[in-house]
Amino acid sequence: MEKWENNKAWFLVLPAFIIVAFSAFIPLMTVVNYSIQDIFGPGQSVFVGTEWFKEMLGNHRLHDALWRQFLFSGLVLLIEIPLGIMIALAMPTRGWGVSACLVTLALPLVIPWNVIGTIWIIFTRPDIGLFGVGINSLDLLEVPFDHTAKPIYAWITLLAMEVWHWTPLVALLAYAGLRAIPEAYYQAAKIDGASSWAIFFYIQLPKMRGVLTIAVLLRWMDSFLIYAEPFALTGGGPGNTTTFLSIYLVKLATMQFDLGPAAAFSLIYFVIILLFCFVFYQALLNVGRGEKV
Amino acid sequence: MARIELNQIAHSYLKKPKNESDYALKRIHNEWEDGGAYALLGPSGCGKTTLLNVVSGLLTPSQGRVLYDGKDVTALPPEERNIAQVFQFPVLYDTMSVFNNLAFPLRNRGVEEGEVKKRVLEVAEILDLTPFLSKRAAGLAADAKQKISLGRGLVRSDVAAILFDEPLTVIDPHLKWNLRRKLKEVHEQLKLTLIYVTHDQVEALTFADQVLVMFEGELVQIGTPQELFENPKHKFVGFFIGSPGMNFLACTVEGNTARVDGAGILLDDDTAALAQKAQGKMEIGIRPMHLEVHAESVKGGIPATVKSVQDQGSFKILTVNMAGHTLRTRLPEGQAVPPNEAWLRFPKRWTKLFVDGRLVNK
């Protein structure tokens, strides 16, 4: 191959390179730098190698937070994906109802996380909240409803918030997927005598695979990073029962100033998310690819 | 299998149609014999697909009745009509294998599994799909996919008719021919009633025994390809069928002669007699291949100037100017192209008279 004498064109890549460096690479490397040192103060640090990683991997509080996180994200996906699909299937396909539904669904999506937390805290408060007062007045529960009273109450409130906030996103994606199915598929299915269940299973679900992949990935990542809602609700309590990974991380880094362990933790957290996204993506991409008779 | 009757069908997509133009179908009245191959031919938007959907039951017509073997099925949904339909784009159940795709209509009807297997293997054999049976349907080529769509119709032993809605649109040209031949084979083997919608005249004319030409929601002519070519009943048929289409010239009729801006063209006696009684806008029409071109003056020849020549391989299309009108003629192979001057002759037999767009004949 011929070699170019003049390589000045490479300078054109420089702006993009600098932006990426500042937005992603340098912050990440700072964290890597912290994770292998013990920092006592400005200018006073000791190289510790992989010690922080070993410590964090064996830390039982991290393990607990991780399992809690898996349980929470798993529940979120189990509730939001089917619920979103059901909403999408029930939505009208023409007329003024379409716009009405779309606007209504989009409302929760534009509300900031902290505001969602506040809305639901007030809604579920046992003294003034509509739900809290309402359910307690029925006198069905052994322990009156109060998010700080029992872990399950805090979890229910958190899940309700999360589902209320993000199911519309899944529903909108699923709706877009459904609308993209050509009419001929439904007509052919009708002629083939397919039941509505068969239409859902063999036409609608396979055709929604692409958008559902995106929905699962987005909801998984987002719910795995949940911070504002449990922080606003109970700050991780009662006890540590709603201390998810990010809440624990922030406690470690900004309240205890354990920058080294917190950095190691961040990197582990990052790798876990990356790994799961990859697994989900591959699984959904290959679902139903197998050949069968 | 069944004879299909359309009894005074009209359909409008509007809830309250006000006038004629609100109807996608206007007064369709026709019968399809059991085992025939029919083509519905017409330009886009003429109501072909609407008519097909009325036959299959995907649409309930605003007026009229659909009868299968004399039985009124107008109110029945498609799954109760024993009809199969192949759409413009291949419809497949992507996640299923080819075998399961073909078995789907049978399993939905609760057919016993042994019978399902037997039917699917039979149909796969007819359509040359046997090697693909265990493959996933999604990965196949467009023509194989379209064959699967067809196969889902064929597996049902009780199927009355198969309707095709422009099924070759997405198929590569070299595969179109194969698939069309396959369709003919299937028709000869199974003696099913086939109704084929297309806007491609070559497809329609090669596929069908009877071609139904549709125009603006009406059936303007029903006939064999030859009848449509030689005796177009409507100006639209003359124009739409044939490449290039029929030549039309506005005229007035005096006795046996049609006058086109000074040029006189002789009509046959029957036509001339009928023309005396007719009222309306008169035009004569002649097919390019029937219009004779001579390099020298001939008896009854009308002088014209040659404007351009288009070589189509085995024949040439000549554009000529006669008394200010542009006409196209088709020169047979071997005939030399007249240099500038030419004389046109209108054979009586092929010179048709149209009044208000409709053919004048007995």
Side-chain angles (χ1 to χ4, degrees), chain B residues 85-86 89-92 144-153:
Chain B
Q85 191 164 351
V86 178
F89 297 97
V91 173
L92 290 177
K145 285 181 177 175
Q146 205 56 304
K147 280 202 269 186
I148 296 169
S149 307
L150 170 62
R152 282 207 314 272

Side-chain angles (χ1 to χ4, degrees), chain B residues 54 60 75 136 239-240 247 260 288 292 319 324-325 349:
Chain B
V54 164
T60 309
R136 243 166 67 94
F239 168 78
F240 195 69
N247 294 302
V260 181
E292 287 174 23
T319 307
H325 297 275
R349 191 179 160 213

Side-chain angles (χ1 to χ4, degrees), chain A residues 60-73:
Chain A
H60 73 93
R61 293 183 64 185
L62 186 146
H63 293 171
D64 291 348
L66 185 64
W67 292 128
R68 237 173 260 137
Q69 189 73 67
F70 277 132
L71 182 65
F72 183 76
S73 291

Side-chain angles (χ1 to χ4, degrees), chain B residues 217-256:
Chain B
E218 279 179 77
L219 283 175
V220 288
Q221 188 169 2
I222 301 164
T224 61
Q226 197 185 355
E227 281 165 11
L228 296 180
F229 191 76
E230 292 181 352
N231 268 317
K233 282 202 181 126
H234 192 280
K235 208 180 142 184
F236 173 76
V237 179
F239 168 78
F240 195 69
I241 291 182
S243 175
M246 216 170 194
N247 294 302
F248 289 98
L249 298 164
C251 68
T252 53
V253 178
E254 294 163 15
N256 264 9

Side-chain angles (χ1 to χ4, degrees), chain B residues 243-317:
Chain B
S243 175
M246 216 170 194
N247 294 302
F248 289 98
L249 298 164
C251 68
T252 53
V253 178
E254 294 163 15
N256 264 9
T257 316
R259 296 238 159 253
V260 181
D261 291 337
I265 295 158
L266 283 179
L267 298 171
D268 67 38
D269 298 342
D270 290 342
T271 309
L274 286 165
Q276 303 304 328
K277 291 173 233 158
Q279 290 283 319
K281 187 175 169 250
M282 304 227 183
E283 282 162 295
I284 56 165
I286 187 162
R287 291 273 177 207
M289 72 174 293
H290 294 139
L291 186 58
E292 287 174 23
V293 185
H294 299 273
E296 282 142 31
S297 178
V298 285
K299 186 173 167 284
I302 300 162
T305 48
V306 177
K307 280 166 73 183
S308 64
V309 184
Q310 231 184 65
D311 200 332
Q312 304 264 2
S314 60
F315 59 89
K316 292 185 178 71
I317 301 291

Side-chain angles (χ1 to χ4, degrees), chain A residues 72 76 79-80 83 87 103-121 123 156-171 219 229:
Chain A
F72 183 76
V76 163
I79 299 169
E80 286 184 6
L83 190 62
I87 292 172
V103 170
T104 315
L105 275 178
L107 275 180
L109 297 175
V110 296
I111 300 176
W113 284 259
N114 271 329
V115 178
I116 300 258
T118 314
I119 291 172
W120 279 85
I121 290 166
F123 183 58
I156 288 171
T157 314
L158 274 180
L159 281 171
M161 266 185 218
E162 170 69 30
V163 167
W164 186 81
H165 196 179
W166 291 112
T167 306
L169 178 75
V170 180
R219 289 321 308 134
E229 290 94 333

Side-chain angles (χ1 to χ4, degrees), chain A residues 185 187 191-192 207 288 292, chain B residues 87 93-94 109 136 152:
Chain A
Y185 277 85
Q187 295 180 333
I191 287 165
D192 288 339
K207 293 276 167 204
K292 53 187 181 232
Chain B
F87 296 89
Y93 304 106
D94 301 348
R109 286 171 172 77
R136 243 166 67 94
R152 282 207 314 272

